[in-house]
Amino acid sequence: MRRSVYNEDHEAFRETVRAFIEAEVVPVYDEWCAAGQVPREFYGRLAELGVFGIEVPEEYGGSGQESFKWQAVVTEETARAGVSFGGSGVHVALCLPYLLAYGTEEQKKRWLPGFASGSTMYAIAMTEPGTGSDLAGMRTTAKLSEDGTHYVLNGAKTFITGGVHADRVIVCARTAAPTEQDRRHGISLFVVDTALPGYTVGRKLDKLGLRASDTAELSFSDVRVPAGDLLGEENKGFSYLGQNLPQERLAIAVGAYAQAAAAIRFTQAYVTERTVFGQPVASFQNTKFELAACKAETDAAEAVVDRALEAHDAGELTAAEAASAKLFCTEVAHRVIDRCLQLHGGYGYMNEYPIARLYADNRVNRIYGGTSEVMKSIIAKSMGL
């Protein structure tokens, strides 16, 4: 079935992105994975392609498109090729909405031109060692100086995607103690310059998958953050995080669906060429049935993604609906990719085959952005349970 969620402009952009990936990413992707990050200069090429500025307003150097579908196209095309653009997904899908929604006019003039050009890369730091999904339990603090000119930031963050290359990081920190009635009270957001004294990038984490994405530990020791880099209002950070989570979870759902579709594509090509017992693997009934079942599940995930994309563009995607889309699509991708790897036999376990890398990359989808168990809790709460 032809998808109606994208128009001709989206499809033209898709062809451009696909050609770019084939020419500039696929030939060197193994080197990026071995290095554990993409070259910093690659982000300049993405900016030239227009990837960073699509949703940035024109007055700040962008295209001013108010739709997440453009980023969904990029996500689908990287998954199709079995590659990634490193930490740039966080730069656009996670960080930009906060800058647009809560930045002052002065802040936007300072930050957004560099954002669109790729000269200033962004990451977001929420998770702390020992807290996981419990963001209300964060211990990183930011105390306002007596003269009110800066905040003194202390603490640590972990699992920060894009944390090695980032020039600015949206850091979540406590500016006030939680109350007995509300553990989430007292969290604020700061857009921290990574060149400030006391800001340290720790280990670049050695991950199971997403090998080309730089993921780091960060620490802050008496980092003097200018008061003008507070994003939004003090102590309202947790509500800001909640408002952007539906888009974050939609992005993960899109990626998971696209990975499932890619797994089928890779596997169909493999079983058609691979011969055992004197005939192509594709000729066996089990192969046909397995791929047919995978195709049916992936078609359903596509429908869920497309409905969610339309709802998001209309401003109607609820937290529960985003959680449902993430839960369904990530679980479908898990099942489909596992079955597709099985059809590769022993070769599916070899990293030289894209299905192996896809298997490892996909696993985190059911963890970050809120675990599957958290998604179920959100959905259950929306049902009045």
Side-chain angles (χ1 to χ4, degrees):
M1 294 182 290
R2 182 180 180 277
R3 301 173 75 182
S4 60
V5 70
Y6 297 117
N7 60 31
E8 292 181 359
D9 290 338
H10 293 127
E11 295 303 336
F13 179 61
R14 182 188 302 279
E15 291 303 317
T16 299
V17 172
R18 184 174 297 181
F20 173 83
I21 290 171
E22 288 298 323
E24 301 198 30
V25 179
V26 171
V28 294
Y29 193 66
D30 287 342
E31 298 173 18
W32 293 359
C33 289
Q37 61 188 38
V38 306
R40 180 63 175 79
E41 57 269 22
F42 173 70
Y43 292 136
R45 292 290 296 117
L46 287 180
E48 292 172 5
L49 195 67
V51 170
F52 294 161
I54 294 173
E55 296 176 62
V56 173
E58 292 182 10
E59 59 265 36
Y60 308 116
S63 301
Q65 299 293 323
E66 296 182 356
S67 171
F68 184 70
K69 292 178 182 178
W70 303 95
Q71 293 307 321
V73 168
V74 174
T75 299
E76 290 180 358
E77 288 305 307
T78 52
R80 179 184 181 275
V83 301
S84 83
F85 288 164
S88 66
V90 167
H91 178 74
V92 178
L94 270 65
C95 296
L96 182 58
Y98 291 106
L99 303 180
L100 292 176
Y102 308 115
T104 65
E105 182 61 24
E106 184 275 332
Q107 289 173 334
K108 291 176 183 178
K109 287 180 178 178
R110 277 198 291 135
W111 296 334
L112 291 181
F115 182 101
S117 71
S119 61
T120 304
M121 293 300 296
Y122 285 74
I124 186 165
M126 302 184 204
T127 305
E128 296 184 2
T131 62
S133 297
D134 182 18
L135 295 180
M138 72 175 61
R139 298 179 180 179
T140 296
T141 60
K143 297 182 179 180
L144 186 63
S145 63
E146 291 185 5
D147 60 7
T149 61
H150 63 272
Y151 288 82
V152 180
L153 181 66
N154 284 284
K157 300 289 182 178
T158 193
F159 306 146
I160 310 306
T161 301
V164 174
H165 280 320
D167 302 293
R168 280 191 178 266
V169 176
I170 301 174
V171 177
C172 309
R174 283 207 164 277
T175 45
T179 66
E180 291 184 7
Q181 295 77 23
D182 187 3
R183 292 178 63 242
R184 300 171 294 183
H185 172 74
I187 293 173
S188 301
L189 306 184
F190 299 88
V191 183
V192 180
D193 184 343
T194 63
L196 289 173
Y199 181 104
T200 303
V201 177
R203 290 189 305 147
K204 183 172 68 176
L205 300 174
D206 185 14
K207 306 184 301 297
L208 171 67
L210 300 178
R211 305 288 295 183
S213 178
D214 56 305
T215 304
E217 296 176 330
L218 307 178
S219 64
F220 321 109
S221 178
D222 292 333
V223 180
R224 295 165 61 91
V225 181
D229 288 348
L230 171 70
L231 186 62
E233 295 183 42
E234 197 177 76
N235 300 328
K236 292 190 176 181
F238 198 93
S239 66
Y240 298 159
L241 296 175
Q243 290 169 32
N244 194 51
L245 279 173
Q247 177 168 303
E248 179 180 352
R249 288 163 180 165
L250 171 59
I252 296 170
V254 172
Y257 147 71
Q259 287 177 324
I264 294 172
R265 174 173 168 264
F266 294 144
T267 306
Q268 187 170 351
Y270 176 80
V271 298
T272 300
E273 297 173 1
R274 172 71 168 157
T275 300
V276 295
F277 303 118
Q279 56 185 313
V281 175
S283 67
F284 293 97
Q285 186 181 65
N286 179 70
T287 303
K288 297 175 182 179
F289 281 8
E290 284 292 282
L291 283 177
C294 288
K295 178 67 164 57
E297 282 206 83
T298 303
D299 284 348
E302 180 184 277
V304 168
V305 160
D306 288 358
R307 185 181 70 174
L309 284 171
E310 295 287 22
H312 184 271
D313 269 15
E316 299 172 353
L317 183 67
T318 68
E321 289 168 344
S324 179
K326 179 184 184 296
L327 176 66
F328 182 77
C329 292
T330 56
E331 294 292 339
V332 164
H334 161 65
R335 292 192 295 270
V336 167
I337 294 170
D338 184 75
R339 293 161 85 173
C340 285
L341 188 148
Q342 187 72 16
L343 288 173
H344 281 71
Y347 289 104
Y349 206 65
M350 301 296 109
N351 280 326
E352 64 186 276
Y353 284 82
I355 193 67
R357 188 154 56 206
L358 195 59
Y359 184 88
D361 288 351
N362 171 262
R363 184 59 184 88
V364 76
N365 288 338
R366 291 182 289 149
I367 299 173
Y368 66 5
T371 64
S372 290
E373 292 73 24
V374 170
M375 297 304 98
K376 292 174 184 177
S377 296
I378 293 170
I379 297 165
K381 184 176 180 180
S382 74
M383 298 168 64
L385 300 174

